[in-house]
């Protein structure tokens, strides 16, 4: 389906409602309709502010307000010096559960893949006190980027207790996730999450393909099998591509 041209956009704007409807609201409605109909695909670049000003005969202030509100509503993304794009729907992860990210991606009808930065044995100094006590002098460490189609959605930095998963270094994590393997050899019985907003460092930004000032969601996860601490993980997600979901009941 071909994207909407600025000429077509101008015609739609004239038909978007009576003059009593503020111009910025009509601009919003026209752009939103184009996105929701699929005429502008997720990730596709929209006409620039100057193009919209020229095509619609409106002030830059009016166009800017329309785009600003569409951005706040999560329909578009504006990147300084680059342009305006249709927002890619955010991937969702469970907040109150420990789930396999590959299953979540496939459940949304998309393709999951990984890029393994490294899997190695390291001194346990980087681990927290509980994991050091459980693991001894060394731990296994993996750094893996998870993709949904072609977008990186999670950087997984995991420390593993060798006693709980002695074959960890031998696994091919392009074919299975660490979560799937660990749940096979040391079935999860208890988990702990801590969630915070952070700014990624330069190396993390490069792996996740995010800008310097983009906020990220960080989930610090610890998992146990029976009474044994199996792993601790630092799961970093680009804020513009991810959200956490959870639910609860009251008895």
């Amino acid at each position: 389906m071909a994207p909407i041209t600025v000429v077509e956009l101008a015609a739609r704007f004239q038909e978007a409602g009576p003059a009593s409807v503020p111009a910025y609201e009509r601009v919003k409605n026209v752009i939103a309709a184009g996105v929701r109909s699929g005429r502008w695909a997720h990730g596709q670049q929209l006409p620039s502010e100057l193009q919209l000003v020229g095509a619609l005969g409106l002030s830059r202030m009016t166009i800017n307000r329309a785009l600003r509100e569409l951005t706040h509503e999560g329909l578009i993304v504006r990147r300084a010096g680059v342009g305006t794009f249709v927002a890619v729907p955010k991937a969702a992860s469970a907040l109150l559960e420990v789930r396999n990210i590959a299953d979540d991606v496939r459940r949304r009808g998309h393709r999951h893949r990984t890029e393994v930065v490294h899997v190695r044995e390291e001194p346990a100094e980087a681990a927290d006190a509980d994991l050091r006590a459980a693991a001894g002098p060394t731990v296994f460490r993996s750094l893996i980027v998870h993709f949904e189609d072609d977008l990186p959605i999670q950087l997984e930095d995991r420390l593993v207790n060798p006693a709980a998963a002695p074959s960890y270094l031998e696994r091919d994590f392009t074919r299975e996730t660490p979560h799937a393997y660990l749940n096979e050899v040391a079935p999860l019985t208890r988990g702990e999450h801590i969630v915070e907003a952070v700014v990624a460092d330069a190396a993390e930004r490069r792996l996740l393909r995010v800008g310097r000032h983009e906020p990220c969601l960080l989930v610090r996860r610890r998992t146990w099998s029976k009474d044994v601490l199996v792993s601790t993980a630092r799961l970093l997600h680009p804020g513009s591509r991810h959200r956490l979901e959870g639910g609860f009941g009251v008895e």
Side-chain angles (χ1 to χ4, degrees):
M1 189 180 297
I4 300 172
T5 65
V6 289
V7 173
E8 185 180 352
L9 191 68
R12 290 189 176 201
F13 173 73
Q14 296 302 324
E15 302 167 355
S20 58
V21 178
Y24 80 88
E25 194 73 41
R26 283 183 281 154
V27 174
K28 279 181 59 180
N29 292 341
V30 168
I31 293 176
V35 171
R36 293 184 178 119
S37 69
R39 290 290 299 277
W40 280 311
H42 297 141
Q44 188 167 26
Q45 188 167 9
L46 300 180
S48 68
E49 268 193 34
L50 289 178
Q51 287 176 309
L52 293 173
V53 167
L56 304 183
L58 300 172
S59 70
R60 190 160 187 172
M61 183 180 298
T62 298
I63 298 297
N64 185 273
R65 178 172 179 179
L67 296 180
R68 188 171 66 248
E69 292 196 5
L70 287 168
T71 300
H72 290 162
E73 292 168 14
L75 205 62
I76 64 173
V77 176
R78 304 174 78 188
R79 298 174 185 157
V82 179
T84 303
F85 300 82
V86 179
V88 176
K90 292 186 177 184
S93 291
L95 178 58
L96 304 181
E97 302 174 63
V98 178
R99 295 203 308 228
N100 187 356
I101 187 172
D103 293 339
D104 284 342
V105 170
R106 293 177 190 128
R107 195 176 293 114
R108 292 190 287 269
H110 296 163
R111 178 173 59 92
H112 171 266
R113 68 179 179 88
T114 61
E115 289 184 3
V116 178
V117 181
H118 62 244
V119 182
R120 62 197 185 197
E121 187 171 15
E122 292 187 354
E125 297 164 358
D128 64 25
D130 289 340
L131 187 57
R132 289 198 304 271
T138 63
V139 293
F140 297 150
R141 186 171 199 162
S142 57
L143 185 63
I144 297 171
V145 186
H146 294 269
F147 287 77
E148 182 161 349
D149 294 331
D150 293 320
L151 279 177
I153 59 167
Q154 184 191 93
L155 178 61
E156 174 189 335
D157 186 0
R158 185 182 292 271
L159 300 177
V160 175
N161 178 353
S167 300
Y168 192 80
L169 300 182
E170 301 164 19
R171 308 303 295 190
D172 181 356
F173 292 124
T174 65
R175 294 180 176 273
E176 64 181 339
T177 64
H179 170 86
Y181 169 65
L182 292 174
N183 208 37
E184 176 185 321
V185 298
L188 172 71
T189 57
R190 181 161 64 98
E192 173 186 279
H193 283 151
I194 298 174
V195 182
E196 58 186 311
V198 299
V199 175
D201 65 28
E204 292 166 339
R205 292 197 302 271
R206 177 177 56 81
L207 292 169
L208 288 173
R209 303 178 192 170
V210 297
R212 176 177 296 182
H213 301 296
E214 176 163 353
C216 292
L217 285 173
L218 174 62
V219 179
R220 299 183 189 273
R221 176 183 293 169
R222 302 201 301 170
T223 53
W224 286 260
S225 182
K226 298 181 180 177
D227 294 327
V228 177
L229 179 58
V230 174
S231 78
T232 64
R234 187 176 182 274
L235 309 174
L236 189 66
H237 308 83
S240 63
R241 302 175 204 151
H242 204 81
R243 70 176 187 266
L244 295 171
E245 298 178 344
F248 61 90
V250 178
E251 295 183 357

